Amino acid sequence: MKIRNILCLGLPPVVILVAAVFVFGIFLIKWFWGWTIPALFPLAANPDMKLVAATISWGAALKLSLFISVLVGLYHLTHEMNLKKLLFFCIGVILVKLFWAWTIPDLFPNSVKGDLIAETISWWSAIKLSILFTLLSAVSSFKMAPTQLLKK
């Protein structure tokens, strides 16, 4: 029996990857949010205005981590099935629309109440965000350095 099978409990690598991204993501998101958001948006995170949450709850961090880990899992599954970007894009549109309504009100409470940020987004906006995520995943999957691409 291989040592990898013992350590991973015989689960497929994509399941282990998604679980690791999910668990570590909760802690990283909670820490990173509290570290960067007040520095980037000091007036918006001000306790008087509270347009952006200066810190997020464990529940909000869990929601964001779930969204990111589902996208990572989808990307790796579609990459293995050679359906790659098309399936990732189509499912991504649905996920973006659902997760927006589920997480944004927690992250930007007074901005949503003041209509500065939409509580829900349209399908067209979800499509645009999914295009952005698909392009970012395509760029991040390049295996050659840009100088090698120019030589070909």
Side-chain angles (χ1 to χ4, degrees), residues 7 13 16 19-20 51 55-56 59 66 76 92 94 110 116 126 131 137 139:
L7 293 175
I16 301 300
L51 297 174
T55 59
I56 59 173
L66 180 63
H76 284 283
I94 297 166
N110 288 344
L116 298 172
I131 289 170
S137 70
V139 168

Side-chain angles (χ1 to χ4, degrees), residues 109-122:
N110 288 344
S111 296
V112 170
K113 287 178 189 170
D115 288 331
L116 298 172
I117 296 177
E119 186 173 358
T120 59
I121 58 173
S122 66

Side-chain angles (χ1 to χ4, degrees), residues 22 25-26 29 56-70 98-107:
F22 175 68
I26 295 169
I29 288 168
I56 59 173
S57 66
W58 287 104
L62 184 131
K63 290 177 189 179
L64 281 173
S65 183
L66 180 63
F67 177 60
I68 292 168
S69 61
V70 166
L98 293 175
F99 275 95
W100 184 281
W102 195 37
T103 58
I104 294 301
D106 290 343
L107 301 176

Side-chain angles (χ1 to χ4, degrees), residues 5-57:
N5 287 343
I6 294 170
L7 293 175
C8 297
L9 305 172
L11 296 171
V14 71
V15 172
I16 301 300
L17 174 70
V18 169
V21 168
F22 175 68
V23 171
F24 292 119
I26 295 169
F27 296 101
L28 287 173
I29 288 168
K30 180 135 175 75
W31 169 74
F32 192 75
W33 188 278
W35 183 52
T36 58
I37 296 302
L40 293 174
F41 308 105
L43 293 177
N46 175 328
D48 295 331
M49 294 188 66
K50 201 170 183 178
L51 297 174
V52 177
T55 59
I56 59 173
S57 66

Side-chain angles (χ1 to χ4, degrees), residues 64-145:
L64 281 173
S65 183
L66 180 63
F67 177 60
I68 292 168
S69 61
V70 166
L71 287 178
V72 166
L74 272 174
Y75 176 75
H76 284 283
L77 284 175
T78 56
H79 184 71
E80 290 174 8
M81 296 176 352
N82 290 327
L83 298 175
K84 285 188 191 177
K85 309 297 180 224
L86 180 63
L87 185 59
F88 181 72
F89 173 76
C90 293
I91 296 173
V93 171
I94 297 166
L95 288 175
V96 166
K97 181 143 174 67
L98 293 175
F99 275 95
W100 184 281
W102 195 37
T103 58
I104 294 301
D106 290 343
L107 301 176
F108 307 102
N110 288 344
S111 296
V112 170
K113 287 178 189 170
D115 288 331
L116 298 172
I117 296 177
E119 186 173 358
T120 59
I121 58 173
S122 66
W123 285 104
W124 179 241
S125 295
I127 288 170
K128 291 190 276 188
L129 284 172
S130 190
I131 289 170
L132 173 67
F133 294 147
T134 303
L135 290 174
L136 289 175
S137 70
V139 168
S140 70
S141 67
F142 283 141
K143 301 209 187 299
M144 289 190 279

